[in-house]
Amino acid sequence: MFVLPPPAQASVAVAGTAERFPVRRIYCVGRNYAAHAREMGNDPNREPPFFFDKPADCVVDTDTVAPYPPGTSSVHHEVELVVAIGKAGRDIAVADALNHVWGAAVGVDLTRRDLQDEAKATRRPWDLSKGFDYSAPIGPLTPVAAVPSLSAGRIHLTVNGETRQDADLADMIWPVADTIAYLSRYIALAAGDLIMTGTPAGVAAVVEGDVLEATVAGLVPLKTTMGPPLG
Ligand code: MN
């Protein structure tokens, strides 16, 4: 019934099983840690949460090589807690929001910072700075019942063994429940949606050959190597 073979279903690994979590959409929160908002030149105090998307097929499993993307000379790492939605909803109440969470994982929001800076300066969209191929390495999801906390715990990223980002989920300006509630006022969340919940301070450039290792307390670590550009 399709005129072409339908594209493969994007998916994320699930810890401890061969089963996978199908990805529908990826929403990302901007400037959700005060120190990161400041390092990007913004006042973190009075901003409501804001969102951008990545295409679902940007996801990359742990232990894969992410080719250095074309069209940029400044790719930054942003370690983030990733929340997977397992139950649809809109206008979700904060008190009910965590009932919509299926699980959580560690992710990295790879960003073409030079293109993003240019987009900000020219008031253009962020799409090409955020939504490129291989731009969302995400580790295996841990089902929510086995996640110790979505609101506190160390979030940490090293490059070649050296710490670049080191913070606590408790530093989030908008906690996970608030983020889900707010987002669901604007779009209907559905099972299969991922929310990348923002990055703490310490974002910096990566180069070909760098090994990124990211952790969130209680979740399966993520390891990504920056590979050579695709030929
Ligand atoms: Mn981000």
Side-chain angles (χ1 to χ4, degrees), residues 29 52 78 80 109 130 199:
V29 185
F52 59 90
E78 298 189 352
E80 313 207 356
D109 167 16
K130 288 292 194 178
T199 197

Side-chain angles (χ1 to χ4, degrees), residues 2-86:
F2 295 109
V3 299
L4 295 173
Q9 171 66 56
S11 65
V12 173
V14 175
T17 170
E19 295 183 316
R20 297 183 64 87
F21 181 92
V23 179
R24 189 186 79 124
R25 295 178 181 171
I26 307 174
Y27 294 101
C28 306
V29 185
R31 295 173 204 143
N32 202 20
Y33 290 77
H36 173 64
R38 280 188 218 101
E39 79 178 348
M40 301 305 287
N42 301 286
D43 175 0
N45 293 319
R46 290 301 335 145
E47 255 189 2
F50 74 93
F51 298 88
F52 59 90
D53 309 335
K54 286 178 188 273
D57 64 355
C58 290
V59 294
V60 181
D61 277 347
T62 191
D63 290 318
T64 31
V65 175
Y68 195 91
T72 178
S73 55
S74 182
V75 175
H76 275 202
H77 55 75
E78 298 189 352
V79 63
E80 313 207 356
L81 169 69
V82 180
V83 173
I85 299 296

Side-chain angles (χ1 to χ4, degrees), residues 1-224:
M1 72 172 90
F2 295 109
V3 299
L4 295 173
Q9 171 66 56
S11 65
V12 173
V14 175
T17 170
E19 295 183 316
R20 297 183 64 87
F21 181 92
V23 179
R24 189 186 79 124
R25 295 178 181 171
I26 307 174
Y27 294 101
C28 306
V29 185
R31 295 173 204 143
N32 202 20
Y33 290 77
H36 173 64
R38 280 188 218 101
E39 79 178 348
M40 301 305 287
N42 301 286
D43 175 0
N45 293 319
R46 290 301 335 145
E47 255 189 2
F50 74 93
F51 298 88
F52 59 90
D53 309 335
K54 286 178 188 273
D57 64 355
C58 290
V59 294
V60 181
D61 277 347
T62 191
D63 290 318
T64 31
V65 175
Y68 195 91
T72 178
S73 55
S74 182
V75 175
H76 275 202
H77 55 75
E78 298 189 352
V79 63
E80 313 207 356
L81 169 69
V82 180
V83 173
I85 299 296
K87 180 182 150 192
R90 54 187 184 82
D91 290 322
I92 298 167
V94 172
D96 183 42
L98 296 186
N99 295 325
H100 291 258
V101 174
W102 189 90
V106 185
V108 174
D109 167 16
L110 289 174
T111 301
R112 286 166 163 148
R113 191 71 71 203
D114 45 1
L115 296 196
Q116 188 195 31
D117 289 344
E118 188 183 325
K120 287 176 180 174
T122 53
R123 306 179 73 83
R124 287 177 179 166
W126 290 7
D127 296 46
L128 294 185
S129 67
K130 288 292 194 178
F132 52 91
D133 299 329
Y134 304 92
S135 64
I138 295 179
L141 280 166
T142 297
V144 68
V147 175
S149 174
L150 293 172
S151 57
R154 190 185 189 196
I155 178 168
H156 184 239
L157 178 136
T158 64
V159 177
N160 305 326
E162 286 191 16
T163 293
R164 293 272 189 92
Q165 295 183 268
D166 192 358
D168 197 286
L169 299 180
D171 300 335
M172 281 195 275
I173 296 169
W174 297 95
V176 169
D178 297 69
T179 298
I180 291 170
Y182 189 94
L183 182 56
S184 75
R185 288 160 51 189
Y186 290 87
I187 50 91
L189 286 170
D193 291 343
L194 299 180
I195 302 174
M196 302 188 75
T197 59
T199 197
V203 299
V206 293
V207 297
E208 181 182 332
D210 279 350
V211 177
L212 287 64
E213 293 179 279
T215 63
V216 168
L219 303 183
V220 182
L222 168 68
K223 182 177 180 181
T224 302

